[in-house]
Amino acid sequence: METDGQATAPGSALALILVREIGQALAAFAESGEPAAIDLRGLPMSDADREELLAWLGDGEIAATLAVAGRSEIRETRFTGVWWVRHFGTDDRIAAERIEIASVPDILIADMADVTAAAARFDDELAELSIPPSMEEAEHV
Amino acid sequence: MSDRQTVGDILAQRGVSRRAILKYAAWLASAMALPPSASKAIAQSLAAARRQSVVWLSFQECTGCTESLTRSFSPSLEEMIFNLISLDYHETLMAVSGHAAEEARLKAMEENKGKYVVVVDGSVPLKDDGVYSANAGKTNLQTLQETAKDALAIISVGTCAAYGGIPGARPNPTGAVSVGEIIKDKPVINIPGCPPIAEAIAGTVAYLVTFGKVPDLDHLGRPKAFFGDTIHDRCYRRPFYDKGLFAKSFDDEGARNGWCLYEVGCKGPVTYNACATLKWNGGVSFPIQSGHGCIGCSEPHFWDKGSFYQPLSTAMPGMGAGIAAGAAAGVALGAGAAWLARRRQVAYSQQTSKKEGA
Ligand code: SF4
């Protein structure tokens, strides 16, 4: 859901170029369902450029923190389907930062290989559960 | 030891999810300047890949390159590289020694014929039949030739392996040469630096595992993703250079104001490396940010190019005094500065190739 946007364009040239690029990718996604991603780390972005872009894209409905090989932060912007994804490495420095245009960033989706492994682990742990005698009796009633 | 399991299988056993592979793929795509949309495909191919057998040979070196790789990793994203490779031989890190160690090397070579990667740190002495550095009864030259024979590719880590480095500096008493001067029939990837940046080592290995091929290299065999720009191209002090504001000594007002270090010897304009963007010590800083000029440690023969503390134009033979004068007088503005820097780079490469061809 889109909330009220800001009328003024970002002041930094780089942020403005990125806003345009994101807009084109979002329109293409809406049209064809083709997701896209823009790598921010490869760009000569200053903190000011980043702040301007962040402020203009605003906050959406979802924010998630991941504990996957260090921390990651994902949040939807005020434009549905536009996500700001930050992966942190050692000492909490940004290892990868990108804008994803997708229904949901892939990293949030549970991979079926992990689901299969989780099901097997669940089974093993269930088999090893020591059930108190009173509950075992209750099971036979 | 190498095994037939995929990276995905191994990570699952260690309780690491596919999400971690996806995150690593996002980092790799960004670090290697690959399209960001490729990260899903990279993750899938990484998960399905066999762990890359790596044989690490240390010759005339100081172990700084191994320190760079191992010390910079804490249990997080960057540690992932150790899940992608099977480090089958590394004299400093392996637990076994003597015959058992040599057997491990030979076994890895036999089991992964044509597929293993050889990482070399250190130069190879050729003088007096290479007697100056030997191991397990073999000279470095013999070990390199024997190990490289059935390798997929060789990665020369550090300036010593890439260009001869400190052992090869004048008067080069051991006749030290680079790996690339010996191995001519295999791809040799150079990751120079004294030491090299850990991400450049890890990123290059991860690229090899993912794509099974050598990344794009420049004319000196360096991956363009990490060595495509000079330090000067990405230096945060560049606006001061462009305005002609230079520190004249390490404790003057200019130095305190963070001005350009060109006049106190910075070799950033002719040095291709990623220190200005990836930085060191977990991204904390890099030499220029800490107040010292770049010494050009990832360029060939950096030790023999005059003082680290003289401006490039006077330190490098053959450079016109006009270039230094122009920069010092502050006339090198905007596009002019870029042109001057590019001219220095061209002059430097010509000088390097002349020297190498000599
Ligand atoms: S000369 Fe050195 S300190 Fe000055 S801008 Fe270039 S790289 Fe930075």
Side-chain angles (χ1 to χ4, degrees):
Chain A
M1 190 182 78
E2 270 89 271
T3 52
D4 285 345
Q6 295 165 1
T8 49
S12 110
L14 186 56
L16 189 61
I17 290 166
L18 282 167
V19 161
R20 292 212 176 104
E21 196 179 339
I22 294 165
Q24 282 168 4
L26 184 60
F29 181 52
E31 177 91 23
S32 67
E34 185 66 37
I38 298 165
D39 180 20
L40 298 182
R41 197 173 169 242
L43 301 171
M45 272 184 110
S46 68
D47 288 347
D49 295 331
R50 181 180 278 104
E51 290 307 316
E52 293 233 16
L53 186 61
L54 257 175
W56 198 83
L57 291 173
D59 285 330
E61 296 170 331
I62 300 171
T65 305
L66 284 73
V68 178
R71 193 165 63 87
S72 294
E73 278 174 7
I74 297 177
R75 58 183 194 77
E76 198 178 28
T77 68
R78 67 194 171 94
F79 300 97
T80 303
V82 178
W83 304 80
W84 192 295
V85 181
R86 270 179 182 180
H87 296 303
F88 295 90
T90 309
D91 303 326
D92 243 15
R93 74 172 155 131
I94 296 174
E97 184 173 35
R98 47 161 65 190
I99 301 285
E100 289 198 21
I101 292 103
S103 299
V104 64
D106 286 323
I107 201 164
L108 287 178
I109 300 168
D111 189 286
M112 284 317 288
D114 291 331
V115 175
T116 309
R121 189 158 48 86
F122 201 104
D123 239 23
D124 290 349
E125 290 192 21
L126 200 60
E128 279 171 22
L129 276 187
S130 54
I131 299 170
S134 56
M135 283 183 72
E136 265 186 18
E137 277 163 26
E139 264 183 31
H140 291 108
V141 174
Chain B
M1 283 288 97
S2 54
D3 45 53
R4 307 309 302 154
Q5 288 178 303
T6 64
V7 169
D9 295 338
I10 289 159
L11 287 170
Q13 281 165 11
R14 294 176 184 174
V16 179
S17 75
R18 298 289 168 115
R19 287 192 180 109
I21 306 181
L22 208 49
K23 178 168 172 173
Y24 191 74
W27 169 79
L28 180 64
S30 178
M32 301 290 292
L34 303 169
S37 53
S39 56
K40 194 173 177 186
I42 294 172
Q44 280 164 350
S45 110
L46 267 181
R50 308 273 174 222
R51 290 171 86 203
Q52 175 67 56
S53 170
V54 173
V55 175
W56 186 303
L57 303 174
S58 297
F59 297 146
Q60 291 192 127
E61 47 82 39
C62 69
T63 315
C65 301
T66 295
E67 288 283 326
S68 172
L69 183 65
T70 56
R71 300 282 172 203
S72 63
F73 292 126
S74 61
S76 64
L77 178 67
E78 297 90 334
E79 193 197 46
M80 280 284 289
I81 185 67
F82 296 109
N83 291 308
L84 308 186
I85 63 168
S86 171
L87 193 52
D88 292 327
Y89 182 89
H90 189 306
E91 285 159 17
T92 315
L93 300 179
M94 65 201 305
V96 292
S97 58
H99 292 298
E102 290 313 299
E103 272 166 30
R105 178 172 65 88
L106 296 173
K107 188 162 174 242
M109 288 164 54
E110 181 59 37
E111 283 177 357
N112 303 287
K113 206 168 176 176
K115 289 187 233 151
Y116 62 90
V117 168
V118 180
V119 177
V120 181
D121 62 339
S123 60
V124 182
L126 296 184
K127 201 171 162 194
D128 301 329
D129 293 327
V131 294
Y132 299 105
S133 182
N135 184 4
K138 290 179 179 145
T139 64
N140 291 166
L141 178 64
Q142 288 168 327
T143 306
L144 176 63
Q145 283 171 333
E146 179 186 294
T147 314
K149 196 164 73 73
D150 293 317
L152 169 73
I154 326 289
I155 303 180
S156 294
V157 161
T159 299
C160 298
Y163 311 126
I166 310 288
R170 284 196 291 265
N172 191 0
T174 65
V177 298
S178 69
V179 170
E181 285 170 79
I182 296 165
I183 305 298
K184 299 286 184 194
D185 59 345
K186 300 272 173 201
V188 177
I189 305 169
N190 288 331
I191 307 181
C194 194
I197 298 177
E199 281 93 335
I201 307 174
T204 304
V205 173
Y207 186 96
L208 268 174
V209 176
T210 310
F211 299 103
K213 62 173 189 175
V214 173
D216 270 357
L217 305 177
D218 73 0
H219 71 293
L220 291 175
R222 305 176 289 198
K224 283 184 184 163
F226 299 103
F227 298 90
D229 294 320
T230 63
I231 302 291
H232 186 69
D233 289 334
R234 298 299 195 102
C235 180
Y236 75 102
R237 295 192 191 226
R238 179 66 181 268
F240 294 112
Y241 175 95
D242 290 344
K243 286 189 193 121
L245 294 172
F246 301 99
K248 310 277 181 199
S249 75
F250 286 107
D251 57 357
D252 70 359
E253 200 200 339
R256 281 194 291 277
N257 289 334
W259 291 354
C260 171
L261 301 169
Y262 178 86
E263 292 205 10
V264 284
C266 182
K267 307 293 182 280
V270 292
T271 304
Y272 288 80
N273 208 338
C275 304
T277 45
L278 294 177
K279 301 191 179 178
W280 286 88
N281 297 329
V284 171
S285 185
F286 72 113
I288 291 171
Q289 196 175 336
S290 304
H292 195 286
C294 164
I295 62 170
C297 74
S298 56
E299 293 296 325
H301 318 294
F302 78 101
W303 201 259
D304 289 332
K305 288 199 164 122
S307 166
F308 293 153
Y309 301 101
Q310 272 177 354
L312 260 177
S313 41
T314 52
M316 285 173 51
M319 296 295 295
I323 292 173
V331 298
L333 290 165
W339 176 82
L340 271 174
R342 192 56 65 191
R343 238 188 97 171
R344 276 187 204 104
Q345 289 160 11
V346 171
Y348 182 84
S349 341
Q350 282 166 351
Q351 185 193 343
T352 303
S353 27
K354 248 189 249 156
K355 178 161 183 173
E356 278 167 352

